[in-house]
Amino acid sequence: MHRILVINPGSTSTKIAVYEDLKQVFESDIHHSAEELAKFSNVWEQEPFRRQLVIDELNKHNIPMQLDAVVGRGSLARAVPSGSYEVTEEMIRESRNAEHIHACDIGCALAHDIAQRVPPCRAFTTDPGSVDEMLPEAHISGLPDLPRIAIWHALNQKAIARHYASEHGTRYEDLNLIICHLGGGISIAAHDHGRAIDANNALDGEGPFAPERAGSLPAASLVRLCFSGKYTEQEILNRIAGKGGLKAHLGTNDMKEIERRINGGDEHARLIVDAMIYHTAKNLVAEAAVLYGKVDAILITGGMANSKYVVERLKRRISFLAPVSVYPGQEEMLAMAHNAIVELDSAKKSD
């Protein structure tokens, strides 16, 4: 039996879980208040703080630090093939200096630091958001110095794809799928027989707008805004990722709160959410061209897939294309544990 600690750092929480093989024996969602995080100037300064909280949470619940592996959600340091990677000092250095910053960047360091405390425990990261399986032509934009890159929910999308395939008695590698993750950012990818050959940069500037992301914007207008003198570079970046989308329009990214407004007759809130659904559907259906129209299924996942308002209206616009299956929430924690077990078992076989 393998004992695995999984760590998934997010913008306002750190989710942890302990698995004995694929059986979850403990889970906790450690929330971080705005006041707590305000003490730190960047995500990397939070790493020792979050690490101690994880250790304290395990101790509080009498979870023994007897571990075979610790898995941290992957960073965005560089484009990599899909797979699992042992955490190294070089990986952590690259993550510290990554151009694209997200709370997940510290996942590899958290896993490495905790694993070192309980040797011979190993530290992994798996299917980070920078997984790149895109076709060469997918990287080309209209300006040579601005290539398209993929920053997407690779871990969850691939886990959901395998889940769907298992349910239907087939393999992920035998299917053409379009998968849409509805989270704080919205990522959409075309999966061609086990490879995501096209995906958007859901973090900072491509695709539909989302609860926290501005998505694709009118380019010339954005340039003028950048040089207007109204905002610093960091303020513009914050408006694109973190304070854009529903947050910018409605002052909140909480879909439950927004749905309460809509149900109470707030027509402006309804318009903004309907616009998000409209642009999501438009981007999703466009991925069918990447697959030459041969789409076995469309899979909808992520936290916002719990919203009947969003899912029902999205399905109305896309169900003509292929059967639609909905998997609310995400399977990132289980997927990380599963992938670590694969690595541990592989190492045993090679010994």
Side-chain angles (χ1 to χ4, degrees):
M1 180 184 71
H2 299 300
R3 192 172 170 84
I4 314 293
L5 170 63
V6 174
I7 305 175
N8 188 346
S11 56
T12 60
S13 70
T14 303
K15 297 176 183 176
I16 63 173
V18 176
Y19 289 84
E20 292 178 352
D21 287 338
L22 294 180
K23 179 183 178 183
Q24 187 183 91
V25 296
F26 174 75
E27 68 173 336
S28 180
D29 192 350
I30 307 168
H31 286 273
H32 314 306
S33 68
E35 292 75 21
E36 286 177 316
L37 298 183
K39 302 172 186 175
F40 307 101
S41 60
N42 59 58
V43 167
W44 278 98
E45 286 188 5
Q46 300 172 17
E47 195 265 331
F49 163 75
R50 295 203 193 208
R51 183 202 320 138
Q52 191 59 50
L53 286 177
V54 170
I55 294 170
D56 290 346
E57 188 73 1
L58 294 172
N59 289 336
K60 175 183 172 183
H61 293 276
N62 298 313
I63 305 298
M65 294 288 280
Q66 297 168 352
L67 303 168
D68 297 296
V70 185
V71 194
R73 186 176 169 200
S75 80
L76 307 177
R78 66 160 81 172
V80 295
S82 175
S84 298
Y85 298 87
E86 190 133 19
V87 179
T88 64
E89 295 285 356
E90 180 184 1
M91 180 189 296
I92 295 170
R93 282 195 298 272
E94 287 189 1
S95 298
R96 287 184 181 276
N97 297 299
E99 176 183 354
H100 304 282
I101 303 299
H102 187 275
C104 69
D105 290 326
I106 64 174
C108 59
L110 290 169
H112 182 266
D113 291 349
I114 292 175
Q116 284 197 319
R117 294 167 182 251
V118 285
C121 182
R122 298 171 68 187
F124 298 102
T125 189
T126 182
D127 277 341
S130 56
V131 163
D132 186 350
E133 302 172 321
M134 295 205 300
L135 297 172
E137 52 266 44
H139 286 288
I140 308 300
S141 81
L143 290 177
D145 44 356
L146 295 178
R148 289 186 68 233
I149 64 170
I151 299 180
W152 57 299
H153 301 89
L155 180 65
N156 190 50
Q157 286 209 22
K158 284 182 172 285
I160 292 298
R162 293 187 175 96
H163 184 154
Y164 173 86
S166 176
E167 285 184 340
H168 288 77
T170 185
R171 303 186 311 149
Y172 170 44
E173 292 77 13
D174 295 329
L175 295 170
N176 274 3
L177 303 169
I178 298 174
I179 306 180
C180 176
H181 181 112
L182 299 170
I186 295 175
S187 69
I188 304 170
H191 296 250
D192 183 352
H193 295 81
R195 292 179 59 239
I197 61 173
D198 190 78
N200 64 312
N201 179 349
L203 176 64
D204 58 7
E206 189 182 33
F209 72 84
E212 299 176 356
R213 312 282 200 270
S216 298
L217 296 167
S221 297
L222 177 60
V223 171
R224 295 188 187 100
L225 186 66
C226 291
F227 286 90
S228 67
K230 295 180 180 179
Y231 305 99
T232 66
E233 178 183 358
Q234 190 57 52
E235 286 171 338
I236 290 287
L237 291 172
N238 289 344
R239 295 194 76 191
I240 290 172
K243 298 181 179 179
L246 299 184
K247 180 79 170 176
H249 283 284
L250 302 174
T252 181
N253 57 10
D254 185 339
M255 272 306 302
K256 290 181 180 178
E257 167 61 24
I258 293 170
E259 286 194 50
R260 281 194 290 269
R261 292 190 200 177
I262 293 172
N263 292 334
D266 187 333
E267 290 304 315
H268 178 64
R270 184 186 300 276
L271 172 64
I272 299 303
V273 173
D274 286 352
M276 180 184 70
I277 296 165
Y278 169 92
H279 288 288
T280 300
K282 186 170 67 171
N283 280 262
L284 191 154
V285 171
E287 294 293 349
V290 176
L291 299 171
Y292 293 93
K294 298 175 181 177
V295 183
D296 294 304
I298 299 168
L299 310 184
I300 308 298
T301 183
M304 210 168 22
N306 286 294
S307 168
K308 289 184 179 180
Y309 185 96
V310 171
V311 170
E312 288 176 0
R313 283 159 179 77
L314 182 58
K315 287 173 72 174
R316 286 181 204 167
R317 291 188 176 274
I318 64 175
S319 58
F320 73 92
L321 182 62
V324 180
S325 292
V326 182
Y327 297 89
Q330 52 196 31
E331 296 190 3
E332 291 178 336
M333 307 296 276
L334 179 60
M336 285 193 278
H338 174 268
N339 292 348
I341 290 168
V342 169
E343 294 299 312
L344 293 172
D345 286 344
S346 177
K348 275 188 177 180
K349 290 177 182 177
S350 62
D351 287 343

